[in-house]
Amino acid sequence: MSQEKPLVLVTHTLPAAWLAPLKEKCRLMIGPEGGKGLTPRLEENLPEAEALFTLLVDPITEDILERAPNLKVVSQMAVGVDNLDVEACTRRGIPVGHTPGILTAATADLTWGLLLAVARHIPQSQADARAGRWTTWNPTGWLGADLEGATLGIVGMGKIGSAVARRASGFGMELIFTNRSPRPDIEKDLNAQQVPLEDLLEQSDFVSLHVPLTEETHHLIDANALQKMKSTAILVNAARGQVVETQALLQGLQESWIAAAGLDVTHPEPLPSEHPLYAQSNCLITPHIGSASYNTRRRMAEIACQNVLAGLEGSKLPHSVN
Ligand code: GLV
């Protein structure tokens, strides 16, 4: 392998086929499966690295960038980039790639999966059936919430929020939403109403979070917000764990400020197995699987590779955040 080829540090092991587009033009140094961040071996090679291929679990800090003077691109295989110091990259003229769009449908589908599973007690009823507690057709057993006619409040009407909203019409739900900027197009197209967050929390039967993690959205759903929600309401979070204050949510679920929650993301992440949220029968937790479908993850890797190659060539990235 020629030493002239640029060195790309891939923080974690991925299927070889997903990285195939890089093979010919780059030298790849690949990290382990699992874990967070760069291993010491990858860190040692930062001075020579021209590209970083990262996952959302990797903190890419000023310090790491400092040690990578030859870096031409950081390419993240995710849409969210809150683990990366984007400002520091921008200051150094390093483009940051991400994979928007491609995971919208999969994440919207998973959101609905969580919402339905929580509303209709699917995990608990399965556990009961398996454990021999399905002894009759029980007229009062496993009663859940209706979707038809209920109000769905979507917090953040970006790509994923609008995909979730579009799916709501099939369930005959009323739609309200918040967004940083006015979205009269969505109001018209989806027969939805844009409202302030406080009104959304008070009026929604289901609240689904679809904001990126920023300083403004950190702990957007705190004790105060949870107490504004209906006691029958269900909260769904498939965005970022830190948008919700974990301790407040735990208290809210324990003290029935709200009825239940479906979380694909948590803080911390992974949520340790002894965490009290797991003991809440009104909380369904999945391990950040929003984009986890075969085609979606493969295509995310494909876009991340395209971003690496463009960055190495000094061309505009197909998808960048800066
Ligand atoms: C997943 O959470 C992503 O940001 O791609």
Side-chain angles (χ1 to χ4, degrees):
M1 198 178 281
S2 152
Q3 290 301 302
E4 278 88 66
K5 290 183 184 177
L7 178 65
V8 180
L9 303 184
V10 182
T11 55
H12 298 275
T13 303
L14 297 171
W18 293 6
L19 297 173
L22 301 179
K23 277 278 163 61
E24 203 186 310
K25 295 193 173 151
C26 316
R27 276 179 296 144
L28 301 183
M29 184 173 285
I30 301 176
E33 267 180 45
K36 289 185 181 192
L38 280 76
T39 56
R41 178 168 163 266
L42 291 176
E43 287 205 7
E44 268 169 34
N45 283 277
L46 279 169
E48 210 198 320
E50 293 188 42
L52 278 180
F53 184 120
T54 59
L55 303 185
L56 55 81
V57 293
D58 303 321
I60 302 299
T61 57
E62 180 101 55
D63 168 58
I64 287 182
L65 299 172
E66 193 70 48
R67 287 184 279 150
N70 292 308
L71 204 57
K72 295 197 175 116
V73 57
V74 176
S75 174
Q76 170 127 310
M77 190 183 133
V79 63
V81 291
D82 45 273
N83 55 308
L84 311 172
D85 191 338
V86 176
E87 256 180 54
C89 289
T90 308
R91 274 200 307 277
R92 289 172 161 74
I94 300 172
V96 175
H98 70 150
T99 62
I102 206 66
L103 46 77
T104 300
T107 308
D109 292 346
L110 194 270
T111 301
W112 279 99
L114 287 174
L115 192 154
L116 283 162
V118 175
R120 299 300 303 275
H121 306 304
I122 292 174
Q124 297 98 313
S125 55
Q126 187 208 222
D128 287 341
R130 281 205 168 144
R133 290 188 287 269
W134 180 13
T135 53
T136 181
W137 182 82
N138 182 351
T140 57
W142 304 290
L143 301 182
D146 283 307
L147 270 59
E148 192 167 42
T151 298
L152 171 62
I154 295 186
V155 179
M157 199 45 102
K159 286 193 174 68
I160 298 173
S162 12
V164 170
R166 273 195 300 281
R167 284 156 174 73
S169 68
F171 290 102
M173 299 178 85
E174 303 292 327
L175 262 183
I176 56 180
F177 68 96
T178 66
N179 197 54
R180 254 180 326 194
S181 51
R183 293 295 305 263
D185 53 328
I186 296 273
E187 293 200 291
K188 184 160 165 278
D189 293 352
L190 298 180
N191 192 22
Q193 200 193 346
Q194 185 160 356
V195 296
L197 180 63
E198 191 166 325
D199 295 3
L200 180 141
L201 295 171
E202 283 169 8
Q203 291 168 26
S204 298
D205 299 298
F206 299 88
V207 173
S208 195
L209 307 176
H210 300 287
V211 286
L213 176 63
T214 63
E215 269 170 35
E216 294 83 61
T217 63
H218 183 262
H219 287 179
L220 185 69
I221 305 299
D222 56 8
N224 188 30
L226 288 164
Q227 281 169 338
K228 289 202 169 81
M229 288 171 66
K230 295 182 183 179
S231 60
T232 50
I234 289 172
L235 176 71
V236 177
N237 188 7
R240 281 294 182 267
Q242 290 101 312
V243 175
V244 177
E245 203 179 329
T246 304
Q247 206 44 41
L249 176 63
L250 177 64
Q251 191 181 353
L253 291 170
Q254 285 170 337
E255 298 180 9
S256 304
W257 303 346
I258 64 170
L263 311 174
D264 186 44
V265 290
T266 58
H267 184 65
E269 203 168 287
L271 196 68
S273 58
E274 65 280 6
H275 196 282
L277 265 183
Y278 289 116
Q280 289 297 129
S281 62
N282 55 352
C283 188
L284 170 60
I285 300 171
T286 50
H288 205 147
I289 57 169
S291 63
S293 73
Y294 287 113
N295 281 337
T296 300
R297 287 277 166 86
R298 190 183 43 75
R299 295 222 45 214
M300 286 164 71
E302 194 175 307
I303 292 174
C305 288
Q306 288 167 3
N307 282 334
V308 167
L309 292 172
L312 289 174
E313 279 171 9
S315 319
K316 188 172 157 31
L317 308 195
H319 298 282
S320 70
V321 296
N322 60 348

